[in-house]
Amino acid sequence: GESVGLHLPTLSVQEGDNSIINCAYSNSASDYFIWYKQESGKGPQFIIDIRSNMDKRQGQRVTVLLNKTVKHLSLQIAATQPGDSAVYFCAENALGDKVIFGPGTSLSVIP
Amino acid sequence: GAGVSQSPRYKVAKRGQDVALRCDPISGHVSLFWYQQALGQGPEFLTYFQNEAQLDKSGLPSDRFFAERPEGSVSTLKIQRTQQEDSAVYLCASSLGGPRGYGYTFGSGTRLTVV
């Protein structure tokens, strides 16, 4: 069935280092992908998205890479800060409005 | 309003009790979504509205779950005869259109604990 999964459930990085969070998806019909950040006690917050006709998109300190050949998505955070500590979800969308979330990666930034 | 508002923030229900969870989306947002998030897991899709029309309810786990949005703004998720496995955070999100280009704006959720 459709599923979005993550390779690393937890990730600890030193403040100032770059973080890379990975995600695998299995639905080849998915053509739109979103990364969300969820802090404790809050709802997921949109970070960045990418359509399947792109392989890279950059935002402020974040970059999303998409490899459709191996159905892999990654989120890169530059110069990770303590405020980046949260759970990160990749999510996918095929036709329609339903967005399917993966299980999440917990990012912990060490000061 | 400035964001998606959900109430109550926390709800403790005795097994077998009925509960109603409220979502106030961002004014003017056409699309409204409900998700269920179990502890340590990603949000699971429950149902979706476009204005007052419920276009997809494929994620509702049983006929004990019912959602409505009668006037195309506020939505209520109702759970009848709650069971312990219903314990989760229920998230509401709204969007101007679909997720593409807009993303969803999520509320902080209602944490339901069934005892």
Side-chain angles (χ1 to χ4, degrees):
Chain A
E2 300 174 3
S3 67
V4 177
L6 294 173
H7 295 158
L8 298 173
T10 59
L11 178 65
S12 294
V13 297
Q14 208 66 40
E15 181 179 357
D17 287 352
N18 296 335
S19 303
I20 299 176
I21 301 171
N22 295 302
C23 175
Y25 65 95
S26 60
N27 184 4
S28 56
S30 292
D31 61 353
Y32 178 68
F33 304 89
I34 312 165
W35 280 100
Y36 284 93
K37 172 186 179 183
Q38 187 174 27
E39 297 174 287
S40 180
K42 297 183 179 179
Q45 177 185 6
F46 175 94
I47 301 173
I48 191 168
D49 60 357
I50 188 168
R51 296 175 189 260
S52 61
N53 61 351
M54 305 171 68
D55 54 19
K56 180 179 179 179
R57 188 161 190 228
Q58 288 185 292
Q60 187 176 12
R61 285 202 304 118
V62 294
T63 300
V64 55
L65 300 178
L66 175 62
N67 185 331
K68 295 180 288 296
T69 302
V70 295
K71 297 191 182 70
H72 184 268
L73 198 65
S74 69
L75 176 71
Q76 299 178 1
I77 304 173
T80 313
Q81 303 169 359
D84 295 327
S85 294
V87 177
Y88 289 81
F89 295 98
C90 66
E92 61 177 322
N93 172 248
L95 289 176
D97 295 306
K98 185 189 302 185
V99 170
I100 306 298
F101 283 77
T105 292
S106 177
L107 175 65
S108 178
V109 181
I110 304 165
Chain B
V4 177
S5 178
Q6 292 188 247
S7 61
R9 201 64 181 88
Y10 303 93
K11 177 69 178 178
V12 178
K14 291 185 178 179
R15 191 161 56 93
Q17 185 179 351
D18 296 350
V19 297
L21 312 180
R22 177 186 170 103
C23 174
D24 281 271
I26 292 174
S27 178
H29 275 197
V30 170
S31 302
L32 185 145
F33 309 84
W34 283 99
Y35 282 79
Q36 179 191 60
Q37 187 173 25
L39 188 64
Q41 297 184 22
E44 296 277 349
F45 173 85
L46 293 177
T47 187
Y48 154 59
F49 291 86
Q50 190 173 88
N51 294 309
E52 68 277 6
Q54 190 173 19
L55 299 186
D56 188 339
K57 55 181 180 180
S58 62
L60 296 176
S62 76
D63 59 8
R64 295 187 295 105
F65 286 70
F66 173 75
E68 59 183 6
R69 194 186 185 197
E71 296 179 1
S73 55
V74 172
S75 177
T76 303
L77 176 67
K78 298 179 179 178
I79 309 173
Q80 297 177 324
R81 304 180 303 282
T82 52
Q83 306 291 319
Q84 283 193 316
E85 62 263 28
D86 300 336
S87 295
V89 174
Y90 290 85
L91 293 164
C92 176
S94 70
S95 175
L96 275 172
R100 301 186 179 215
Y102 301 107
Y104 296 168
T105 302
F106 279 86
S108 294
T110 293
R111 181 177 295 279
L112 173 64
T113 303
V114 181
V115 296

